[in-house]
Amino acid sequence: SIDIAHSTMKPGRIYRNRGELDESSLNRSPHSYLNNPESERQRYKSNTDKQVLVLKFTDLDGDGIGMISWFAVHAVSMNDTNRMVSSDNMGYASYLLEKDKNPGELPGQGGFVAGFSSSNLGDVTPNIRGPHCANTGLPCDYLNSSCPVGGTKMCQASGPGEDMFDSTKIIGHNIYMKAKELYANAVEEVTGPIQAAHQWVNMTDVTVKINDTHTVSTCKPALGYSFAAGTTDGGGGLNFTQGAVEGDPFWDGIRDVLLGKPSNQTKECHHPKPILFSTGEMNSPLPWHPQIVDVQIITVGSVAVIAVPGEMTTMSGRRLRNVVKEELESVGTFSNTEVVIAGLSNIYTHYITTYEEYQVQRYEGASTIYGPHTLTAYLHKYRELAKAIAQDRVSGLPAGPEPPFFTNNLFSLLAPAAVDGKPENTSFGDVLEQVLPLYRQGDVVSVTFIAGNPRHSGDIRDKTFVTVEIYDNRTETWEVVYNDASWETRFHWLKGSNKQNNATVEWYIPPSAPVGSYRIRHFGHYKELKSLRPVITPYEGSSDVFTVMSSYYS
């Protein structure tokens, strides 16, 4: 992507716009949020950030070439029962906008690129119906997010749709519509220099002076008990609950035998978090969590993008934006600065809560791995970066400690895929269950092929497992109208007995699909042994031709 971008650079313009999007996000840990100071909470209308920021990119003639937007919500509309490689609500928003701007092109093709990015989403869910017990329909316990029968696994938050696909489309469509509106009305041009400040930081050893008499420090990484409880977007399967501020002798005993005890220093540093995994003291075969992480700010004119290596909660993000904005505007270099958080950037370090939210020890607090003063340390470090940019002395910033680069002891828990089998007197790509001869708009077409393991297809950039094709009578050729990245198709690979596997392709015919003759094709690779050596061979298969009508009676 970087190479392609670099080789196709050309002059252009940037415009910015912002607005608010309602009914698309919900705070999934409101009990933690309420532990923040009341005076601070009263400054905001909601316990989640509703703003959407859009940057519009055009060429010098004003023709749109792309956009990027930020909105604070987890991309977890697709729940943990999903077994398909799939984009989520943000991906669907991107799909829709690129479809608008690249008419007639397949997903990922065409000149216009629409990027939808995460922000301070740590405690924000798209499952806006909120958490209810799946077995009773009653609300879950407010603090622990558990149910009387079934515990945390039964406490599930659901989206606005009938199922996860529907919910993904509703939330994604909301985000797309707001971004499209802001893009269309973006007239405030972003001008000025581009600057960037970056530092490596040992997050296990940051000390910050908070007043004349007190300093606070970060800790070696550790995960708390409530980490294992999961969230209302996907609960854990064991008897852990959110809000746990005490350990359990049973689990402590198992941990001590298998992984080792946390040191007293680590336990004290993380208080009141009961430590489940002292990851900062677990280094075999490789360190379980990073010590050295990067902090970074990029300013493009009056827009400051804060690259954060983790998932900030709503209030954490507000505090960080305020600190950076205040520092940038303190010397008059910047004014009317738009500050946005680019969450989960550069490296992943789980969550970042406020000190007050940390005390409650819900999932986000238990997953704040550098201890209760993690946010304080980040505020201090990002303030220094912002000050360096504002005072034009980025070149004087120390680079910080170089992170380790691991080349030894690398391993994968995923074994190589087995060789593929098939029934006698058949070939890979043969159809096991054929299409019907006739469908109407709104129906679902299904066809099942003898298939190899998709893992044998290796690098499939610019390739596809599936195409839906329409016959063009004028040119007497087949034209690809959907592929495996299209939201109208689903590709289910099913592992069978005797290493005989199949793949079922579904096409959800949209109401707008042209009447005509169609076929569905499947592409893949199978592995066999020849002279005891694995050999991978491509194959393809095609359904019969079928007709799509507007009505069965046409």
Side-chain angles (χ1 to χ4, degrees):
S1 297
I2 294 168
D3 285 342
I4 294 168
H6 185 72
S7 65
T8 56
M9 280 197 298
K10 60 182 178 180
R13 292 190 171 93
I14 305 174
Y15 301 86
R16 80 181 203 189
N17 200 4
R18 68 178 288 169
E20 295 205 343
L21 175 60
D22 293 316
E23 298 179 3
S24 300
S25 60
L26 182 79
N27 194 303
R28 69 185 187 189
S29 284
H31 189 87
S32 299
Y33 181 88
L34 285 172
N35 213 40
N36 291 306
E38 185 180 359
S39 59
E40 184 180 34
R41 288 185 278 112
Q42 285 178 344
R43 302 209 306 263
Y44 303 98
K45 293 187 298 184
S46 170
N47 61 5
T48 64
D49 282 337
K50 305 294 185 184
Q51 66 262 24
V52 179
L53 175 68
V54 164
L55 296 184
K56 173 181 180 177
F57 300 90
T58 73
D59 60 21
L60 292 180
D61 295 326
D63 295 327
I65 56 176
M67 62 79 69
I68 186 168
S69 81
W70 288 270
F71 177 58
V73 71
H74 263 92
V76 291
S77 291
M78 299 289 278
N79 62 42
D80 58 6
T81 65
N82 177 38
R83 292 292 177 266
M84 288 187 283
V85 177
S86 170
S87 60
D88 209 278
N89 44 49
M90 294 292 192
Y92 186 64
S94 176
Y95 174 71
L96 290 176
L97 190 55
E98 289 189 1
K99 201 171 180 182
D100 271 357
K101 301 294 184 180
N102 301 314
E105 298 282 3
L106 291 168
Q109 298 179 15
F112 190 94
V113 177
F116 286 78
S117 307
S118 61
S119 191
N120 52 320
L121 50 61
D123 51 1
V124 188
T125 176
N127 296 313
I128 57 176
R129 285 183 182 167
H132 291 80
C133 296
N135 46 4
T136 65
L138 297 173
C140 306
D141 175 89
Y142 184 67
L143 168 61
N144 302 122
S145 294
S146 61
C147 299
V149 177
T152 54
K153 198 67 179 172
M154 276 295 152
C155 178
Q156 299 167 6
S158 59
E162 295 177 5
D163 57 28
M164 62 180 173
F165 296 96
D166 193 29
S167 292
T168 300
K169 292 178 77 171
I170 292 169
I171 298 296
H173 188 267
N174 291 350
I175 298 168
Y176 147 75
M177 287 296 289
K178 176 54 68 172
K180 183 179 178 180
E181 170 201 323
L182 294 172
Y183 177 91
N185 297 308
V187 293
E188 183 181 355
E189 188 169 1
V190 177
T191 59
I194 297 173
Q195 300 184 75
H198 175 282
Q199 258 188 335
W200 297 105
V201 177
N202 183 348
M203 274 302 292
T204 70
D205 187 25
V206 179
T207 299
V208 182
K209 188 175 182 180
I210 54 174
N211 56 40
D212 290 341
T213 57
H214 286 80
T215 59
V216 296
S217 300
T218 53
C219 315
K220 288 183 179 180
L223 290 163
Y225 264 67
S226 296
F227 160 77
T231 71
T232 55
D233 295 325
L238 301 170
N239 65 335
F240 296 94
T241 58
Q242 296 195 66
V245 290
E246 290 185 4
D248 181 291
F250 174 75
W251 293 114
D252 282 353
I254 293 175
R255 175 206 61 205
D256 294 350
V257 169
L258 295 178
L259 302 171
K261 274 186 177 183
S263 67
N264 288 336
Q265 181 186 2
T266 297
K267 286 196 282 190
E268 289 167 14
C269 190
H270 280 269
H271 182 80
K273 177 197 289 179
I275 293 174
L276 183 62
F277 300 122
S278 184
T279 52
E281 298 171 314
M282 295 156 60
N283 296 298
S284 180
L286 293 163
W288 283 42
H289 268 147
Q291 291 189 3
I292 298 169
V293 306
D294 37 4
V295 292
Q296 185 178 22
I297 299 176
I298 298 170
T299 59
V300 182
S302 58
V303 177
V305 182
I306 312 173
V308 176
E311 305 187 49
M312 285 200 145
T313 60
T314 299
M315 195 63 87
S316 294
R318 288 167 175 169
R319 292 183 190 178
L320 179 59
R321 288 200 305 266
N322 290 339
V323 159
V324 170
K325 183 179 177 70
E326 177 186 293
E327 205 61 59
L328 288 175
E329 296 182 348
S330 64
V331 294
T333 312
F334 289 80
S335 62
N336 189 27
T337 312
E338 187 70 59
V339 181
V340 66
I341 289 169
L344 298 84
S345 297
N346 296 325
I347 194 171
Y348 184 67
T349 63
H350 293 260
Y351 285 72
I352 303 159
T353 62
T354 67
Y355 175 82
E356 295 85 355
E357 291 164 350
Y358 186 92
Q359 307 307 307
V360 181
Q361 279 300 297
R362 282 179 59 83
Y363 175 82
E364 295 82 11
S367 304
T368 297
I369 62 174
Y370 299 112
H373 303 294
T374 299
L375 176 61
T376 305
Y378 277 126
L379 294 180
H380 173 67
K381 291 297 179 181
Y382 282 107
R383 185 185 287 278
E384 289 182 339
L385 296 187
K387 185 180 292 186
I389 291 174
Q391 297 178 359
D392 195 22
R393 52 175 186 82
V394 171
S395 59
L397 276 175
E402 193 74 17
F405 189 82
F406 299 108
T407 55
N408 298 323
N409 298 332
L410 301 179
F411 66 96
S412 172
L413 296 175
L414 189 64
V419 296
D420 295 302
K422 59 181 179 61
E424 281 190 44
N425 303 317
T426 64
S427 300
F428 288 97
D430 285 358
V431 174
L432 292 173
E433 293 180 29
Q434 194 54 266
V435 296
L436 301 175
L438 184 66
Y439 296 90
R440 62 181 177 182
Q441 295 152 340
D443 285 348
V444 180
V445 185
S446 179
V447 56
T448 300
F449 298 92
I450 298 172
N453 191 318
R455 288 172 58 197
H456 293 146
S457 293
D459 183 353
I460 61 162
R461 283 177 295 181
D462 302 320
K463 298 175 185 174
T464 181
F465 289 114
V466 173
T467 58
V468 178
E469 302 174 8
I470 188 171
Y471 189 72
D472 188 330
N473 290 307
R474 296 165 302 172
T475 60
E476 297 184 339
T477 58
W478 289 96
E479 179 191 353
V480 177
V481 286
Y482 300 100
N483 62 17
D484 63 8
S486 303
W487 267 83
E488 292 78 2
T489 62
R490 295 182 193 172
F491 172 61
H492 304 265
W493 179 74
L494 301 170
K495 196 172 185 177
S497 57
N498 299 322
K499 299 174 183 173
Q500 294 179 8
N501 312 310
N502 60 54
T504 298
V505 179
E506 295 173 332
W507 175 38
Y508 287 70
I509 307 174
S512 59
V515 168
S517 298
Y518 290 82
R519 69 182 183 186
I520 292 175
R521 298 177 75 199
H522 163 51
F523 305 86
H525 294 74
Y526 66 89
K527 181 164 80 173
E528 59 184 337
L529 289 179
K530 289 186 176 179
S531 303
L532 299 179
R533 294 173 63 88
V535 176
I536 292 177
T537 307
Y539 70 87
E540 57 184 74
S542 178
S543 74
D544 288 345
V545 176
F546 57 92
T547 304
V548 172
M549 305 288 289
S550 56
S551 160
Y552 290 136
Y553 309 106
S554 297

